[in-house]
Amino acid sequence: MLSRLLPSGGPARVLTGITLVHTLGQGLWMALSAIYATTVLDLTPGQFGVGVGIAAGMALAVSTPTGLLADRVGPRSVQIWSFLALGPLTAALLAVNGFAQYVVVLSVQAVAYSASRSARMAMVAGLFPAAERVSVRAYLRATSNVSVSVGAALAGLLLVVDSDQAYRLAVVFNAATYLVTGLLTLLLPAVPAQPARPGPALIVLRDRPYLAFIALDGLLSMHNLLLDVVLPLWILHHTDAPRWTIAAILLTNTVTVVLLQVRAARGTDEPRAAARASRSGSLCLAVACLVFAATGGVSAAVAGALLLLGALAHVLGEMRQSAGSWGMSFGLAPEHAQGQYQGTYAMGADLGKMIAPALLTWLVIEHGTLGWISMAVGFVLIGAAIPAVVNRALRGNRTASEFVAA
């Protein structure tokens, strides 16, 4: 079914293959990384958390510069070499001995990963016309959900085996997926490198409307942690719903994204339409929060039904917000600087992921219904602010174009 929604042309199919292989390894490793660190490497949970946090900070710090690198030397070259580097860097976990070495390996991995991410989005911008970029992103997200789920299922089999050898095999498999994705990237057409222009190199850092969009989008994207972190704790400690409801909600989300993400992204290629999509997504997210708030103090059957209803509202908001986010990230970026703009855009979601677990858990677990309501209001206010920021950005772009033309 998904293949009928695939944008035409060889590059789209190659990108699909790259995404499937890459996210297969990601799905496997996301489920096993903490277990490998604490079981095989004998690190404490605290050391694992610190190591992951340092790596995340490193990825944030280099996201914009690696995007600029993709502009200057061409995104295909950056993607090839970053994926090829990630192979041995991942395999290096097999030789890690102690916390310090673990942090060093993860930090260097984070630099290579950040470069690959910036280059991948610059590749989409360079290979497809503006009218197709969001639909390509939507398709890739739908296929990645399938692949991540398969990777997680493979991780489940290794967890059943539960041996150091099985977990080391996961490291080797993940390293191999990076090498394969690097080689598959050779099949993509080259996107021309952009020569340096007069003025500051990192122009995105002076683009205040774009930075404002990134900040708002990052805050709105905190909803991605609701189903993974906040809602399971809410279900376990504040409702009478059965525990299997957690798995049912995650399955509902995955299946819905696979089936509907491409359709939900239609009409979001232009920045103003994309801003309206993010705003409508924020409203759906607010509805989901209010429905989740009503699940405390009711029977198990009612709580289960409300939780699934809230999950549907959440995934509708998620799909519209994602599509709107992609449309604005591409549409507000100058064509000659898509790499640095896409690298900077990714920082918003990263910051949201860093803030969300502590903030959203504090709101919901500590304050219950009031926390859910506060979250709903916050999503609505953020979504309402995005169209104004986009209008300001477009006015600024038009003024700059008129100045250059004069």
Side-chain angles (χ1 to χ4, degrees):
M1 179 176 179
L2 275 175
S3 60
R4 296 198 299 269
L5 303 175
L6 178 65
S8 60
R13 298 189 182 280
V14 176
L15 279 173
T16 300
I18 291 171
T19 300
L20 286 172
V21 176
H22 173 52
T23 54
L24 178 65
Q26 276 193 322
L28 175 73
W29 191 240
M30 282 190 300
L32 296 178
S33 59
I35 294 173
Y36 183 84
T38 56
T39 301
V40 179
L41 301 181
D42 290 325
L43 301 180
T44 67
Q47 288 175 323
F48 167 74
V50 170
V52 171
I54 292 173
M58 183 67 71
L60 274 173
V62 302
S63 192
T64 301
T66 56
L68 176 63
L69 180 66
D71 288 328
R72 291 293 177 266
V73 305
R76 189 180 75 159
S77 296
V78 172
Q79 180 165 309
I80 290 170
W81 288 109
S82 58
F83 275 138
L84 292 179
L86 279 165
L89 286 172
T90 299
L93 288 171
L94 297 171
V96 163
N97 182 19
F99 176 63
Q101 292 183 14
Y102 180 72
V103 171
V104 170
V105 170
L106 254 62
S107 297
V108 181
Q109 274 186 326
V111 174
Y113 174 76
S114 180
S116 71
R117 182 177 60 181
S118 300
R120 197 157 60 247
M121 293 306 98
M123 287 290 291
V124 172
L127 292 175
F128 300 95
E132 293 183 9
R133 292 169 185 169
V134 175
S135 61
V136 170
R137 282 286 276 125
Y139 183 85
L140 295 178
R141 181 168 188 259
T143 54
S144 69
N145 268 35
V146 175
S147 190
V148 166
S149 298
V150 174
L154 291 175
L157 295 177
L158 294 179
L159 287 169
V160 172
V161 177
D162 190 26
S163 69
D164 285 4
Q165 290 77 12
Y167 300 140
R168 291 182 183 277
L169 179 62
V171 174
V172 174
F173 181 85
N174 194 32
T177 63
Y178 284 123
L179 296 176
V180 172
T181 50
L183 296 175
L184 285 175
T185 305
L186 290 169
L187 301 177
L188 288 170
V191 174
Q194 297 292 332
R197 301 190 176 204
L202 297 175
I203 59 173
V204 67
L205 300 182
R206 295 172 176 246
D207 191 338
R208 292 182 180 178
Y210 194 83
L211 294 177
F213 149 65
I214 289 171
L216 292 173
D217 185 71
L219 291 173
L220 194 55
S221 70
M222 289 194 299
H223 72 79
N224 289 313
L225 276 295
L226 277 180
L227 300 191
D228 296 332
V229 178
V230 180
L231 200 58
L233 294 174
W234 173 259
I235 291 172
L236 291 175
H237 300 293
H238 292 271
T239 79
D240 292 324
R243 295 192 174 199
W244 57 258
T245 307
I246 298 171
I249 288 172
L250 293 174
L251 180 62
T252 298
N253 180 273
T254 299
V255 172
T256 305
V257 169
V258 170
L259 295 178
L260 298 179
Q261 179 65 80
V262 177
R263 292 183 174 87
R266 288 175 181 167
T268 60
D269 301 290
E270 191 274 326
R272 286 192 176 90
R276 291 193 294 270
S278 278
R279 182 176 59 193
S280 64
S282 71
L283 294 175
C284 291
L285 294 171
V287 170
C289 290
L290 295 178
V291 174
F292 291 147
T295 58
V298 297
S299 68
V302 173
L306 287 175
L307 285 167
L308 290 175
L309 180 63
L312 288 173
H314 177 276
V315 74
L316 290 175
E318 174 186 339
M319 292 187 296
R320 289 295 284 172
Q321 182 270 328
S322 296
S325 178
W326 301 327
M328 288 179 282
S329 73
F330 287 126
L332 297 178
E335 290 301 310
H336 69 275
Q338 284 284 354
Q340 63 172 286
Y341 269 70
Q342 297 311 314
T344 308
Y345 159 70
M347 293 173 63
D350 285 344
L351 287 170
K353 290 176 184 177
M354 293 175 67
I355 296 171
L359 176 60
L360 301 189
T361 301
W362 173 75
L363 280 173
V364 170
I365 304 304
E366 297 295 328
H367 301 283
T369 300
L370 180 59
W372 282 116
I373 294 173
S374 300
M375 199 185 306
V377 172
F379 284 144
V380 169
L381 292 177
I382 294 168
I386 289 178
V389 169
V390 167
N391 287 333
R392 180 187 170 197
L394 293 174
R395 285 196 302 270
N397 290 344
R398 183 170 61 249
T399 301
S401 300
E402 291 169 353
F403 177 79
V404 172

